[in-house]
């Protein structure tokens, strides 16, 4: 009786084994095809000079779709209807979506970043009190490296809903320097010195224009400023060197930079005790 049942099952088992073998072959061949497709699209994106962040995002989407197609074809060969798999995936996606609303918001944020492109890999950005050089724009997070070499991972949903300052988006950047001098110092001479310092500085783009001005008549002195332009990569080097040169030149020409002071006066009442006697 048992042998007879086994004989009856043999044709079905044999057919299932053939379908399973075909499904395995489809998966193996499909994986190879996906890798070939990835190389082809990567070369195409390189020839198109597509931004690294956009190409990375598109490659991830293409991989996900290609692998899903391979799995669906293999499942169809085994005998699992593709419609059932799609319905199951839809239900699972809905359940996962409800439990991962924050992650989906980050995914939507990454899509907005790819479309609007407020920054790209290699840009220095400031957003929500965090700043650094963009190292990677993923499907969920953007990775930054700070000037002191710390890695910061920021959810894309947060960045897409906040103000982003792209410091390195432009080729040139304005250097603003303001210094407070005392009211007794020669204001005109101070302006001439600041003009000459920027005019002679090797990192300053003098052809872009140099503006020297009196910014404010403050409580402790006169605020004298200068605006000049430099290449964006040279910004900090130019700013630090100009500040140091201004201090040295002001000292050598007798222009005083005041500092906070506190004058204390003690008045003695007539007939009163002197607390310091």
């Amino acid at each position: 009786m048992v042998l007879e049942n086994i004989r009856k099952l043999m044709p079905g088992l044999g057919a299932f084994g053939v379908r399973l073998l075909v499904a395995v072959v489809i998966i193996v061949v499909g994986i190879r095809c996906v890798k070939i497709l990835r190389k082809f699209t990567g070369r195409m994106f390189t020839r198109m000079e597509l931004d690294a962040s956009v190409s990375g995002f598109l490659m991830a989407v293409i991989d996900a779709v290609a692998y899903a197609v391979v799995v669906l074809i293999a499942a169809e060969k085994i005998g699992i209807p593709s419609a059932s798999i799609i319905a199951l995936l839809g239900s699972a996606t809905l359940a996962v979506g409800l439990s991962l609303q924050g992650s989906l918001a980050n995914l939507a944020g990454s899509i907005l970043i790819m479309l609007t492109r407020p920054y790209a890999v290699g840009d220095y950005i400031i957003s929500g009190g965090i700043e650094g050089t963009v190292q990677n724009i993923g499907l969920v997070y953007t990775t930054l490296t700070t000037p002191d070499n710390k890695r910061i991972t920021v959810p894309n949903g947060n960045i897409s809903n906040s103000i982003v300052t792209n410091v390195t988006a432009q080729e040139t950047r304005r250097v603003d320097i303001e210094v407070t001098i005392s009211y007794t110092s020669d204001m005109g001479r101070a302006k001439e010195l600041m003009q000459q310092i920027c005019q002679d500085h090797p990192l300053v783009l003098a052809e872009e224009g140099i503006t020297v001005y009196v910014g404010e008549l403050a409580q402790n002195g006169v605020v004298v400023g200068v605006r000049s332009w430099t290449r964006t990569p040279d910004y900090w080097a130019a700013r630090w060197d100009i500040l140091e040169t201004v201090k040295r030149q002001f000292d050598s020409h007798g222009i005083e930079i005041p500092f906070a002071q506190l004058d204390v006066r003690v008045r003695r009442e007539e007939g009163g005790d002197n607390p310091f006697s």
Side-chain angles (χ1 to χ4, degrees):
M1 188 69 179
V2 176
L3 292 176
E4 185 178 350
N5 291 333
I6 293 176
R7 291 193 191 97
K8 291 180 180 179
L9 292 175
M10 284 300 293
L13 292 174
F16 178 77
V18 172
R19 292 196 300 269
L20 183 61
L21 180 61
V22 172
V24 171
V25 172
I26 289 173
I27 291 176
V28 172
V29 174
I31 291 174
R32 291 177 178 264
C33 291
V34 171
K35 291 181 179 179
I36 294 173
L37 177 63
R38 183 180 181 83
K39 290 181 181 179
F40 174 76
T41 52
R43 292 172 184 170
M44 183 177 65
F45 291 157
T46 302
R47 285 195 292 267
M48 293 171 60
E49 297 182 355
L50 203 62
D51 186 82
S53 57
V54 177
S55 62
F57 175 77
L58 292 177
M59 292 290 286
V61 173
I62 291 172
D63 282 350
V65 173
Y67 282 121
V69 170
V70 171
V71 171
L72 286 175
I73 294 174
E76 186 77 28
K77 288 298 179 181
I78 295 176
I80 303 175
S82 57
S84 301
I85 298 177
I86 293 174
L88 181 61
L89 289 176
S91 301
T93 301
L94 179 61
V96 172
L98 292 175
S99 60
L100 300 176
Q101 294 183 19
S103 298
L104 290 177
N106 293 331
L107 179 60
S110 67
I111 295 174
L112 287 175
I113 291 171
M114 298 301 175
L115 294 176
T116 59
R117 299 181 65 182
Y119 57 85
V121 174
D123 287 342
Y124 190 94
I125 66 171
I126 302 173
S127 178
I130 297 173
E131 58 182 284
T133 303
V134 179
Q135 298 297 324
N136 180 57
I137 304 175
L139 292 177
V140 180
Y141 300 102
T142 291
T143 303
L144 307 178
T145 300
T146 63
D148 56 349
N149 206 30
K150 295 178 182 176
R151 176 181 291 182
I152 301 178
T153 303
V154 187
N156 287 333
N158 293 354
I159 295 182
S160 63
N161 290 319
S162 62
I163 298 174
V164 178
T165 301
N166 192 331
V167 178
T168 56
Q170 306 298 327
E171 294 183 359
T172 59
R173 187 175 175 186
R174 194 177 72 188
V175 183
D176 293 350
I177 303 290
E178 287 191 344
V179 181
T180 302
I181 63 174
S182 67
Y183 279 101
T184 58
S185 297
D186 188 344
M187 182 180 64
R189 183 56 178 160
K191 292 174 64 178
E192 291 176 0
L193 288 173
M194 297 183 78
Q195 173 81 28
Q196 193 63 43
I197 289 169
C198 290
Q199 190 74 38
D200 297 340
H201 200 281
L203 297 181
V204 171
L205 304 176
E207 64 275 10
E208 297 291 336
I210 299 172
T211 304
V212 184
Y213 59 92
V214 175
E216 184 182 356
L217 300 177
Q219 182 178 0
N220 298 322
V222 180
V223 178
V224 183
V226 61
R227 290 176 174 176
S228 58
W229 293 85
T230 185
R231 294 176 60 253
T232 299
D234 299 330
Y235 174 80
W236 288 110
R239 178 178 176 82
W240 293 332
D241 193 51
I242 291 173
L243 276 173
E244 181 180 343
T245 306
V246 167
K247 176 64 169 64
R248 287 192 281 103
Q249 290 291 327
F250 278 14
D251 288 347
S252 63
H253 288 80
I255 297 175
E256 180 185 359
I257 300 177
F259 55 90
Q261 303 181 58
L262 179 64
D263 293 333
V264 179
R265 297 183 180 182
V266 179
R267 186 176 66 179
R268 179 181 177 183
E269 297 289 344
E270 186 176 352
D273 296 333
N274 185 356
F276 298 102
S277 61

